[in-house]
Amino acid sequence: MAEAPTDTQDGEGSVELGGYQQELQRCLGSFQVFAVSFAFISVAVGIFATYDDVLLTAGPVGIWLWVIAAVGQTLVALVVAQFAARIPLSGSSYQWASRLANPKVGWGFGWLTFCYLAVAVVASDNALASQALMPLAGIGPDEGTARLITIVVLLVQAVLAVASTRIVSWINSAAVGLELALVVVVVIALIISVAVTGNGAAGNLTSRGVTENAPDYFAVGGGLMIAMIMGLATLVGFDSAANLAEEAKDPFRTVPRAIVGSVVAAGVLGLLFLITLTVAIDDIPRITADGSPVAAIMRDQLGPVMERTLLVAVSFAFFGAGMVIMVSCSRIIFAMARDSRFPAHRLMRRVNPHTQTPIPATILIFALGVVLMVALPGAALLELITAGTILPAITYGSTIVLYLAVRGRLDRKKGAFDLGRFELPVAICALVWTLVALFVLVVPREALVSVVIVVGLLLVGGLFFLVMLKFDRQALETEPGDVRAFDER
């Protein structure tokens, strides 16, 4: 297998090989790159936001579906890491498909990723406002207030994102460190509390709770299947490290390790958190009926002070996750724009020479968030956010299909992440898993509107694609840089 030239092993020359200039600041170390992926996943945030759905649809026993989701998403991460170890350019799957298939296919990957990330920013910050900041401030549920707070949070994140990637990485690393410490401390504290007080039961781990007599519990699209969404909605975004590959030191090694390591760490930590939370439930019907069951369990077992501590830490984790998503989305816009494949590309490709960040692309994400907050009614906003769980499944499945199609001619980097002889069976298993995950997400009746929204987003992208074919076809037919730089052709 061909190896990259020695001067590109640390990633310093990979941007030039891709046909670009190094405009972004390469300042992210190994832990900071890991923190990018882990913050996007955010175990505490994901469980905090979806645990109530599991109790309502499948009962406490539904937490074991987390294991299936964690194993499946780890397989996907292994395939994604194979690409990240070979093409360390901002834009992740957009770049991989553009250079290994063709620019038209790559554009489709880029549009899917952009839609997902743009929606995910709003979803994360709106959840931060309604589920963490408002309860902390003693503000009752109010959609208008939540939307206003969401816009303020988006603005703060945008200011930090354009100021410096280094500042973003510091804040994000601190948020991840706090989240890791908090989950570990909470797990230990809950175990001690249950052992001392006797409030709680190991039998909760096999209980169906309030769904005991549900007639469609095991049906396709029924309660048990719906509970899988907790893992599918949480264990995503691990590829965000690849979107910042041009800002990572030694990306051939650090980025793929961050992708796989973040999923494995989140999977293990999340399972421990879920088990201890579930065992600590003293009254299953009461906790299920609570709008925030994780906080209620903490309050019952550890008191109101610990509950508020949890909310503070979760707020910080929410904020870090939202900021990472915004930065990741700005990089996919920047990557597509510098290839003239994004609306207003001459503006969106600009990088400020002082901050070394793509300011127009970041402002666009903030503006889209404001539009969604102001224009969409509550029900439509909820459906749009739900649609955001379907988009990554489509993207991951497409990425695996691409990998299976081109793996035979992928370059191998000495010392970089490589599955070796296990790559084919892992990729096939990952593809089967993504098909199962997509089935789980689209089959429930409640998913119909979300599916329609996804189709609508794809149609909007398709219209812009047709405009490009008519007025700027060359942008979709040529690729910058050495076309042989990242494969064996």
Side-chain angles (χ1 to χ4, degrees), residues 323-361:
M323 191 162 57
V324 163
I325 300 169
M326 178 177 285
V327 170
S328 187
C329 189
S330 70
R331 277 21 175 206
I332 193 73
I333 294 172
F334 163 73
M336 295 179 71
R338 69 181 172 183
D339 293 337
S340 302
R341 298 171 191 161
F342 196 84
H345 60 84
R346 290 182 179 85
L347 176 63
M348 294 301 151
R349 68 183 298 170
R350 293 181 184 174
V351 173
N352 185 282
H354 301 293
T355 65
Q356 292 184 278
T357 56
I359 294 179

Side-chain angles (χ1 to χ4, degrees), residues 146-177:
R147 290 180 182 233
L148 180 60
I149 294 174
T150 300
I151 292 173
V152 173
V153 172
L154 283 167
L155 178 60
V156 174
Q157 290 170 336
V159 170
L160 291 171
V162 302
S164 168
T165 300
R166 193 181 297 275
I167 291 175
V168 170
S169 70
W170 287 342
I171 295 174
N172 187 54
S173 296
V176 168

Side-chain angles (χ1 to χ4, degrees), residues 31-49:
F31 179 77
Q32 292 166 322
V33 176
F34 166 81
V36 166
S37 285
F38 190 86
F40 197 125
I41 296 172
S42 194
V43 172
V45 168
I47 292 175
F48 189 86

Side-chain angles (χ1 to χ4, degrees), residues 95-256:
Q95 290 283 6
W96 307 334
S98 294
R99 295 175 182 278
L100 298 172
N102 64 68
K104 297 182 181 70
V105 174
W107 185 91
F109 276 80
W111 183 256
L112 276 173
T113 305
F114 162 70
C115 289
Y116 165 55
L117 294 175
V119 170
V121 173
V122 177
S124 177
D125 288 349
N126 190 246
L128 165 61
S130 61
Q131 298 182 32
L133 293 180
M134 290 173 65
L136 265 177
I139 302 173
D142 181 78
E143 185 177 324
T145 303
R147 290 180 182 233
L148 180 60
I149 294 174
T150 300
I151 292 173
V152 173
V153 172
L154 283 167
L155 178 60
V156 174
Q157 290 170 336
V159 170
L160 291 171
V162 302
S164 168
T165 300
R166 193 181 297 275
I167 291 175
V168 170
S169 70
W170 287 342
I171 295 174
N172 187 54
S173 296
V176 168
L178 177 62
E179 182 177 356
L180 288 169
L182 176 77
V183 172
V184 171
V185 169
V186 167
V187 166
I188 295 173
L190 286 176
I191 291 174
I192 294 173
S193 177
V194 171
V196 171
T197 66
N199 296 327
N204 292 343
L205 297 173
T206 56
S207 170
R208 285 176 53 179
V210 298
T211 69
E212 186 64 42
N213 299 312
D216 59 347
Y217 186 79
F218 294 103
V220 174
L224 188 63
M225 179 181 288
I226 292 175
M228 178 77 78
I229 292 177
M230 178 170 67
L232 294 178
T234 302
L235 299 171
V236 294
F238 43 81
D239 54 321
S240 56
N243 262 332
L244 275 70
E246 292 179 28
E247 293 152 272
K249 300 174 183 177
D250 193 13
F252 292 111
R253 296 178 179 86
T254 60
V255 172

Side-chain angles (χ1 to χ4, degrees), residues 2-20 22 26 84-89 245-246 248-254 411-416 482 484-487:
E3 293 180 2
T6 56
D7 63 346
T8 66
Q9 290 297 312
D10 60 0
E12 292 296 330
S14 57
V15 177
E16 286 73 17
L17 280 177
Y20 310 115
Q22 180 72 50
R26 197 176 288 281
R86 290 161 174 80
I87 306 180
L89 297 172
E246 292 179 28
K249 300 174 183 177
D250 193 13
F252 292 111
R253 296 178 179 86
T254 60
D411 188 9
R412 297 295 194 265
K413 310 296 179 186
K414 184 178 180 181
D482 182 0
R484 299 171 58 89
F486 301 106
D487 64 27

Side-chain angles (χ1 to χ4, degrees), residues 354-379:
H354 301 293
T355 65
Q356 292 184 278
T357 56
I359 294 179
T362 306
I363 293 174
L364 174 63
I365 301 163
F366 168 70
L368 288 174
V370 172
V371 169
L372 292 176
M373 285 293 99
V374 172
L376 283 183

Side-chain angles (χ1 to χ4, degrees), residues 279-300:
V279 169
I281 297 176
D282 188 37
D283 185 339
I284 292 177
R286 178 176 62 81
I287 293 297
T288 302
D290 194 288
S292 183
V294 176
I297 294 169
M298 296 282 291
R299 184 170 59 250
D300 288 349

